[in-house]
Amino acid sequence: MDSRDRADTTAAAEVGRRIRDARIAQGLTQGELAGDDYSVGYVSRLESGDRRPNAAVLAVLAGRLMVSVDFLMTGAEASERLDKQHDLDSAELSLAAGDLEEAMVASSRLIETRALAPWPDLLRRAKVIHAQCHEARGDWHAAIIELEDLHREDNRDEMAAVVGIALSRCYRESGEYQLAIETGERVMAGMEESGLTGTTEHIRLASTVAAAYFEAGEVGMATRLSRRAIDAADAISSPEAQAAAYWNASNIERHAGNVERAVQLGTKALSLLENGSSTRNLGRLRLQLARIQLHQSEPDLDETRALLELAAQEMRWSSASPLDEARQILTMARLHLREYKPRDAVRLLTDIPPTVCHQDPLLSAEMRVLEVLALAMESRPVAQSYEDASILLQLLGSERGVAQLWFELGDAMTAASAVEQAGRAYREAAVAMGASRALAPIYDRVDFAFSISG
């Protein structure tokens, strides 16, 4: 017997118990409850859980027992379910607005008090919100543990897609790219079997899988999947699906070197999200678009500053996570470097708390690299700062984000006329991108023009 059969058997037994308890409370015999419509044997089998009544039978029995159909099905009245739905809606709104503490407390209370026990679908929703709170805090492993438990349930509805999206995304953020791909594709296949192809959640899941393919180095597959997701989102004219598809595609196009297309896609996603309710996501997208613009050879710095200032404001309104706030500060520091204000950039970096750096080592490495860039811009000594940045990057291993930072470190050392260190940084960048150390010297970029990229 699989998990679904066991659940059906348990549900039938609980319905039968409620029928029996209500009959006894009304002082009726099984024959009186059966009336002329059913046999006493049938009522007996219902009460023992051997048979499960359909909706028509439940309506008749509920009328004779003077209770609601909802009570026989769940043990609670419909008004109670509406109250709990309202509580979940409030928790979800808090999460969307970035009030993580409120969302975490509310979802924890509903789960731990067993207030949602009569409604498995609402309990599942509460657990998803709770896991998403961990994700929003940047605690990927806590989120993964809870999402894996939810993912093991044999469900093929849109909530399964929500779980699959979050789990795939958390695997990706924790560097487990193959798991992110496998999980996302498995849930997508289940949705397709259930006729949910082309829904908003299906498109969001496809975008998430595309991002995982990209991080795994399969850029071609990622680009094709992200473009299919855009076509599907446009076909159903869903702003939420379109925003998700454009957002993910923008990031992929940027890293693939198609900066102008990345800006176009990011701007489309931003215009769609501006009409939505997620202030936190809006701030994060403005931040990403600002970083893309800084990657351009001749960005509009005034426009970039406006994006960053508005993103900071939205993050304050939505109680954004410390990680999001730190990324906003880092991007503003990059803007200062493009404006040739290195001292302003370094001063900004001191606003990032050490606890946040410990939470995300890549963020800490980016800070060190920006410090080297600022020192090189002022022709100040860079040797010690270079060593500090190098040690951090070596500890982080090989991935696309690390490779980008190695390239930037090489650019800084080129500007500082430190040819040997620049060559080493470019070789490490090539290795992080997947090139072998034997071929790495091909990637020496000691003649590369000094630039600051996003």
Side-chain angles (χ1 to χ4, degrees):
M1 181 183 297
D2 63 24
S3 59
R4 182 169 293 181
D5 290 336
R6 284 195 295 272
D8 289 343
T9 300
T10 301
E14 290 174 350
V15 170
R17 177 180 54 77
R18 284 190 284 272
I19 292 172
R20 184 186 67 247
D21 291 347
R23 176 180 62 76
I24 293 171
Q26 291 295 322
L28 300 176
T29 65
Q30 288 183 335
E32 289 170 330
L33 178 59
D36 296 330
D37 300 288
Y38 314 109
S39 68
V40 172
Y42 178 66
V43 170
S44 178
R45 287 193 293 275
L46 290 179
E47 291 187 355
S48 66
D50 290 337
R51 294 289 298 274
R52 186 171 183 174
N54 59 32
V57 173
L58 275 175
V60 172
L61 296 183
R64 292 174 184 171
L65 294 169
M66 300 180 67
V67 297
S68 69
V69 172
D70 285 307
F71 176 79
L72 292 182
M73 286 293 295
T74 68
E77 296 296 346
S79 59
E80 294 180 53
R81 179 183 172 91
L82 287 174
D83 287 343
K84 301 308 177 191
Q85 282 181 319
H86 175 73
D87 292 341
L88 282 172
D89 290 342
S90 297
E92 211 161 50
L93 284 172
S94 295
L95 176 61
D99 190 349
L100 304 184
E101 188 61 30
E102 175 60 31
M104 180 69 83
V105 169
S107 56
S108 295
R109 182 171 60 246
L110 289 167
I111 295 167
E112 293 167 4
T113 61
R114 297 186 58 78
L116 302 178
W119 308 284
D121 60 321
L122 298 188
L123 178 59
R124 187 167 163 230
R125 184 180 163 201
K127 289 179 177 179
V128 171
I129 293 171
H130 193 268
Q132 288 174 329
C133 287
H134 283 307
E135 180 190 1
R137 285 176 167 177
D139 191 347
W140 318 120
H141 299 297
I144 286 171
I145 289 169
E146 294 184 8
L147 290 167
E148 283 179 336
D149 290 341
L150 289 163
H151 184 60
R152 290 190 189 98
E153 299 176 8
D154 186 19
N155 294 294
R156 297 191 175 186
D157 54 11
E158 289 203 17
M159 184 57 75
V162 173
V163 173
I165 290 167
L167 183 54
S168 178
R169 189 169 55 231
C170 287
Y171 280 142
R172 187 188 74 217
E173 292 294 337
S174 65
E176 300 169 88
Y177 304 132
Q178 196 56 44
L179 270 176
I181 293 168
E182 291 171 358
T183 300
E185 289 190 333
R186 184 165 56 248
V187 177
M188 285 176 65
M191 294 186 74
E192 288 159 9
E193 289 177 12
S194 302
L196 296 172
T197 304
T199 61
T200 296
E201 295 304 330
H202 185 265
I203 293 165
R204 289 182 61 222
L205 182 54
S207 297
T208 302
V209 174
Y213 268 116
F214 180 79
E215 294 294 347
E218 299 186 47
V219 179
M221 184 67 177
T223 303
R224 291 189 294 274
L225 192 54
S226 69
R227 292 184 181 182
R228 288 194 192 104
I230 287 175
D231 291 341
D234 288 342
I236 65 172
S237 299
S238 164
E240 183 184 355
Q242 287 173 307
Y246 290 141
W247 185 343
N248 280 292
S250 172
N251 201 33
I252 290 170
E253 295 287 358
R254 176 181 77 105
H255 285 291
N258 305 319
V259 180
E260 297 304 323
R261 179 167 171 78
V263 170
Q264 292 171 2
L265 292 168
T267 302
K268 284 184 179 180
L270 183 59
S271 65
L272 288 160
L273 274 183
E274 282 177 330
N275 297 319
S277 60
S278 181
T279 307
R280 178 172 176 269
N281 275 339
L282 190 55
R284 292 172 69 192
L285 183 51
R286 288 193 207 280
L287 176 58
Q288 177 174 308
L289 188 54
R291 289 179 74 90
I292 294 172
Q293 289 182 344
L294 288 173
H295 196 68
Q296 293 176 299
S297 58
E298 295 183 6
D300 184 330
L301 298 182
D302 290 336
E303 182 181 331
T304 303
R305 176 175 290 278
L307 276 172
L308 285 171
E309 289 174 349
L310 192 49
Q313 188 177 59
E314 286 164 342
M315 287 180 182
R316 284 194 298 272
W317 288 342
S318 63
S319 302
S321 71
L323 276 174
D324 284 334
E325 292 174 351
R327 291 181 183 118
Q328 193 276 337
I329 293 171
L330 277 173
T331 309
M332 184 63 82
R334 286 182 175 276
L335 173 63
H336 284 319
L337 291 175
R338 291 304 299 258
E339 294 172 331
Y340 292 93
K341 299 176 182 176
R343 297 197 178 217
D344 289 346
V346 172
R347 274 195 295 271
L348 258 186
L349 295 176
T350 62
D351 291 340
I352 299 177
T355 52
V356 177
C357 298
H358 297 154
Q359 190 175 350
D360 186 349
L362 188 61
L363 184 147
S364 184
E366 184 174 357
M367 286 178 61
R368 300 285 83 79
V369 171
L370 293 188
E371 287 173 2
V372 178
L373 287 165
L375 291 171
M377 191 174 286
E378 291 192 295
S379 300
R380 295 166 64 190
V382 296
Q384 185 57 55
S385 296
Y386 168 82
E387 287 303 322
D388 293 342
S390 296
I391 290 169
L392 272 174
L393 289 172
Q394 286 171 337
L395 290 173
L396 288 171
S398 298
E399 63 171 80
R400 194 171 299 273
V402 174
Q404 176 63 40
L405 291 176
W406 275 118
F407 276 131
E408 292 183 317
L409 190 57
D411 289 348
M413 301 313 288
T414 298
S417 299
V419 175
E420 183 179 344
Q421 290 94 330
R424 176 188 164 207
Y426 292 139
R427 284 192 293 274
E428 292 292 346
V431 171
M433 288 291 288
S436 71
R437 290 187 180 271
L439 296 177
I442 296 173
Y443 293 86
D444 283 0
R445 298 173 60 207
V446 291
D447 60 341
F448 194 86
F450 178 59
S451 64
I452 309 292
S453 56

